[in-house]
Amino acid sequence: NAGVTQTPKFRVLKTGQSMTLLCAQDMNHEYMYWYRQDPGMGLRLIHYSVGEGTTAKGEVPDGYNVSRLKKQNFLLGLESAAPSQTSVYFCASSYWTGDSNQPQHFGDGTRLSIL
Amino acid sequence: QKEVEQDPGPLSVPEGAIVSLNCTYSNSAFQYFMWYRQYSRKGPELLMYTYSSGNKEDGRFTAQVDKSSKYISLFIRDSQPSDSATYLCAMSRRNTPLVFGKGTRLSVIA
């Protein structure tokens, strides 16, 4: 039972390069999320999705794009990487019951360095 | 004022001690309260989930929510070196994303 799987685990990019981070979940969750975690800043929400084909902005969306073409996958794209985007990126997913917020299940992160 | 405040520590205690971790918040509409544990180089994992006010106990862990004071706590009894991790509080209103505290780093010394 894999849960939430993030690919790749590590990556080094040069400023201006683009890349896509992949998140896959096998729990049939409706909601999926992308966070970044920086020292002293905690977890900050970048974008999230409440279902296939829908996305919404979080707290720090600038410089990122997302897509949710399939229910089990949530992609995070960096079109032109900047050193300020050096961070650890976490994907999470959760059920939606329509009546209450359910806990999120997290992947183990992608460590991204932008030189 | 940040919506959720959490002392980053670090907090260092001897094995067997009772640990108290706390968060305060400003949004009185928060209804769902969670505590996550995060080991180094791993993703957060859910420890406790509480709806509205009250206490919840699970083994050595107890979560308390005091909505009147806008204050939540996590107590760890008989702390073990394996409890050494960063503890994140998180909370939300209905059908809105979680808001996380910055996390408290805990070290339990054998």
Side-chain angles (χ1 to χ4, degrees):
Chain A
N1 193 356
V4 178
T5 303
Q6 293 185 232
T7 309
K9 293 189 180 348
F10 306 94
R11 186 73 182 267
V12 178
L13 288 179
K14 293 181 180 178
T15 298
Q17 288 185 317
S18 63
M19 80 161 295
T20 301
L21 281 64
L22 171 65
C23 177
Q25 53 95 3
D26 61 2
M27 297 171 283
N28 202 33
H29 285 169
E30 291 82 8
Y31 283 23
M32 296 187 74
Y33 313 83
W34 275 108
Y35 294 90
R36 59 178 291 174
Q37 188 174 42
D38 303 289
M41 301 296 291
L43 278 166
R44 293 183 292 169
L45 184 64
I46 303 171
H47 286 281
Y48 64 103
S49 169
V50 301
E52 186 177 325
T54 68
T55 63
K57 293 180 180 179
E59 180 186 355
V60 288
D62 294 342
Y64 305 95
N65 56 74
V66 288
S67 64
R68 183 104 181 264
L69 298 180
K70 293 183 178 180
K71 185 177 183 179
Q72 63 268 34
N73 296 338
F74 196 27
L75 307 179
L76 178 70
L78 286 72
E79 290 186 348
S80 179
S84 61
Q85 294 177 305
T86 293
S87 187
V88 182
Y89 291 86
F90 287 100
C91 176
S93 67
S94 67
Y95 282 115
W96 178 73
T97 65
D99 189 41
S100 64
N101 283 16
Q102 295 300 309
Q104 295 176 18
H105 299 257
F106 284 81
D108 279 338
T110 293
R111 284 157 183 79
L112 185 60
S113 292
I114 317 292
L115 304 178
Chain B
Q1 182 187 7
K2 293 281 187 183
E3 274 196 299
V4 179
E5 300 275 6
Q6 184 176 10
D7 187 335
L11 182 62
S12 185
V13 301
E15 183 176 357
I18 296 175
V19 176
S20 172
L21 303 168
N22 311 296
C23 289
T24 59
Y25 62 95
S26 58
N27 190 338
S28 58
F30 285 150
Q31 297 177 285
Y32 304 93
F33 303 93
M34 301 171 201
W35 285 95
Y36 284 83
R37 177 175 62 195
Q38 185 177 20
Y39 291 115
S40 179
R41 296 192 166 272
K42 290 290 188 180
E45 57 179 334
L46 180 71
L47 265 183
M48 302 290 280
Y49 172 43
T50 309
Y51 171 69
S52 194
S53 284
N55 294 359
K56 185 172 184 179
E57 187 173 321
D58 184 2
R60 297 184 295 112
F61 299 90
T62 299
Q64 289 185 349
V65 175
D66 182 348
K67 292 191 74 178
S68 62
S69 302
K70 298 193 186 71
Y71 188 88
I72 70 170
S73 300
L74 178 71
F75 298 96
I76 307 173
R77 291 183 298 280
D78 187 25
S79 56
Q80 302 296 310
S82 59
D83 295 326
S84 298
T86 296
Y87 291 80
L88 302 159
C89 64
M91 52 197 78
S92 70
R93 297 177 284 122
R94 181 180 167 187
N95 288 334
T96 61
L98 284 174
V99 179
F100 283 85
K102 293 183 179 180
T104 300
R105 192 158 53 128
L106 171 67
S107 293
V108 181
I109 310 301

